[in-house]
Amino acid sequence: MKLKTLMMAGVCALTPLALSPNASAFCGFYVAKAETDLFNEASKVAIARDGDRTVVTMASDYQGEASEFAMVIPVVDVPERGQINVANPALMDHLDAYTAPRLVEYFDENPCEERRRLEEITVMARRGGAPLPSAVAQKAEDLGVTIEAEYEVGEYDILILSAEESDGLITWLNQEGYNIPDGAEETVEAYLRRGMKFFVAKVSLERHDGNAELRPIQVAYEDEEFMLPIRLGTVNVQGKQELFVFAMTRNGRVETTNYRTVKLPSDMDVPVYLKDEFGDFYKDMFRHQVEKENGKAVFMEYAWDMSWCDPCAADPLSPSELRELGVHWLGDSGPRPNESRPPLLRRPGPQAVDVFVTRLHLRYDASTFPEDLKFQTTGDRTNYQGRYVLRHAWRGDYEQCEAAGEYANTLVDRWDTEATTLASLTGRDIDEIRARMREEGMSASGLGLEGGEPKPKRKWWQRLWGNREE
Amino acid sequence: MLKKATSCLNLSIFVLFPNIMTMRDAPVRLFSGVNSDARHWQLLALASLFFLSRFVSDFGASFTAFGAALSGAMLAQFLGARVTGTRFEWKSAAITTLGVTILLRASDPVFWFGAGLIGIGAKFLIRFNGKHIFNPACLGIAVITLASAGAWVSPGQWGQTPIVAAFALGFAALVLSSAKRLDIALGFLVFFAALLFGRAMWLGDPMVIPAHQMQNGALLVFAFFMITDPRSTPDSRVGRLVFAACVAGLAAWLGWGPHVRGGMIYALGTADDFDRPDFTGEAI
């Protein structure tokens, strides 16, 4: 932590603009992040892909009884036992934390002295886990279902099934206690006609400690198609599904090709009272942005070279963590992009790694996302992060010097802009935001200016040549 | 930014038709001025698509891409005209530039430059019976994206309302520029849609899926501005429709089999050798 702080200070000092109150560049202190556990039962999928080689790690925030947990995923081929694994849930949590939208804060200096005061703050807390078990397989040849493979992996019993018809498969799955929702026939049939198999997993009560969090399941496979099947998840489900995709590649950013990918609005100044409400802000913002796109967009929340970060919501993942998440190319010789970066701009990653991570977030249902997600890896290595800025006003005697008086006047404008930004990002009512800001002392009266009345705004030309007196 | 862009557009109209602003019957003059060459409508529609892509998509067309592709295409056009001793003809190079800019995304301007250069260069170099074989933008994009992971086609970044507007623009431009080429565009779209809907029916997919697949930026630019290129498509109507069906079939298969994104661009590249003999010579 010491080192991180030091490095940030170093970068700031190199940037002359960083000394002015408006220098937002890439300094500022990280205060909070908005992780996926803000959303109920969100699914998280990490995909590591290079060429056709793909490793998918699937985790869900399942909160119910482990005996009722089941996962049914269409797959292109029958994986061997060695292609399936369970991952440490902490890996996904780390990836989530590293890529999460973040809040940073700045403190204005006393305008009368040219000094900057910085303060460091703590991080939000995190949540707990989920539970467990179930039954297994027998033959049901008469239903036209073939058990292509059967594995015990960690706490899961896994079957790879093929079937002649969806009816038989669904009947069999229901008999086995998988509770396939009504209306799934068409979707299951569509996958079967594509020649796909079904990967089904249940928790083995014998091998699962009732209190432990269910671990993410990993599958390694080769396929030309870079896609994620989501249609089964939309069958007969009330409300929207929440999905986070963390794509790790060698080349660059990953985008959806059959849905519009948009950047979550970022790098904006928001009122400082959001410091303790960042999670609510992020949820409101996401909901509002989804509405603005008519529910039909995939949001990019983070796209970054895994070798560094600035500011860091969490340290970059170590090479061993990345390998566990399926980044199979680490260790291969190849260019190390971070080495070409000027030393001062390298963040304190454990070491340079040839991994570019993209965090995509979508809220979907059958009407807004009728088709499975199709992706492509692009050559775009432009870094992007969801980052929101708090600027703490300097408080003191605004009459001690001329500069302080000037500064106080700019504050009122600045707060107004922050209120407008917050309203447009989240769809919240601007009057409520302003009222809340007044309560927090972010208003002309809070500054003790003009008997509490905001000063009439000066015209633009009045600010031009410093002619303050009219 | 928007203001800047609009003034750019105004300027380009002014450059195209320098006298229009002084005329009293400006609207009529403007129309006949634009209408004097079919490519003017294409240029206007493509320029509008460029701005649409630039301003509605987070990963859309960029002015950098435009500048780079323009340099490449104009350089090749200039050199080609010098070597062949023909007149320097900027309009087709500009059309290629816009096609490349709208469809191709890249990590470095050199890729757009390369696509423009290769596309127009091939127009001079690869010829049969006095006509070029490949659509220049299509070939440029295909070569560059196949050669490097630093360049790619982003077909899904338009969003629903802009894509409808874009289809309307493309259609209007084609009607205005060359009604006789409408058959190949519509033929391609109909064949391609029939394949998508037919497959969905066979798979038991809901029809919203193929309908969703038709809302694709690459498909749009391809159907209205690439496959219609009069220099690289057959001259007879039957020939054009057969050609459109072949390209549609190949494009659909490229998407289903090897899962190629924007498969039609590669499809046109390969199918372009088809039905050559009924070509008659045309100037470059």
Side-chain angles (χ1 to χ4, degrees), chain A residues 253-255 260-263 298 300 380 384, chain B residues 53-54 56-62 102 105 152 154 157:
Chain A
R253 176 173 64 78
V254 165
E255 66 182 17
R260 188 168 143 82
T261 309
V262 299
K263 292 176 181 166
V298 173
M300 183 172 96
D380 182 8
Y384 169 84
Chain B
S53 170
R54 171 69 186 77
V56 302
S57 169
D58 281 348
F59 304 102
S62 70
I102 293 164
R105 300 284 168 272
W152 63 97
S154 282
Q157 302 306 327

Side-chain angles (χ1 to χ4, degrees), chain B residues 103-118:
Chain B
L103 284 185
L104 187 69
R105 300 284 168 272
S107 55
D108 193 293
V110 74
F111 294 112
W112 290 297
F113 178 84
L117 192 77
I118 291 168

Side-chain angles (χ1 to χ4, degrees), chain B residues 122-134 231-233 235 272-282 284:
Chain B
K123 186 179 75 170
F124 287 97
L125 293 174
I126 310 172
R127 303 179 68 78
F128 184 83
N129 276 353
K131 302 208 316 187
H132 66 261
I133 294 178
F134 297 105
R231 306 275 154 67
S232 58
T233 48
D235 290 342
D272 248 359
D273 288 332
F274 181 79
D275 201 20
R276 291 294 107 188
D278 66 351
F279 272 8
T280 53
E282 271 182 72
I284 294 170

Side-chain angles (χ1 to χ4, degrees), chain A residues 193 255 258 261 263 371, chain B residues 58 153-154 157 202 212-213:
Chain A
R193 291 223 175 174
E255 66 182 17
N258 57 341
T261 309
K263 292 176 181 166
E371 198 186 9
Chain B
D58 281 348
V153 172
S154 282
Q157 302 306 327
W202 178 73
H212 173 78
Q213 288 166 339

Side-chain angles (χ1 to χ4, degrees), chain A residues 245-274:
Chain A
V245 177
F246 307 92
M248 290 166 286
T249 68
R250 252 177 147 149
N251 276 340
R253 176 173 64 78
V254 165
E255 66 182 17
T256 39
T257 56
N258 57 341
Y259 297 102
R260 188 168 143 82
T261 309
V262 299
K263 292 176 181 166
L264 196 69
S266 177
D267 278 333
M268 292 175 172
D269 290 5
V270 291
V272 291
Y273 75 76
L274 291 179

Side-chain angles (χ1 to χ4, degrees), chain B residues 42 45-46 49 135 170 173 220-229:
Chain B
Q42 291 195 27
L46 282 168
L49 289 181
N135 171 283
L220 149 85
V221 177
F222 180 81
F224 289 121
F225 300 100
M226 290 185 168
I227 198 174
T228 50
D229 182 354

Side-chain angles (χ1 to χ4, degrees), chain A residues 135-153:
Chain A
V136 190
Q138 290 301 337
K139 82 236 96 201
E141 299 284 341
D142 40 338
L143 285 169
V145 178
T146 310
I147 299 171
E148 304 275 355
E150 191 173 350
Y151 305 120
E152 290 179 358
V153 183

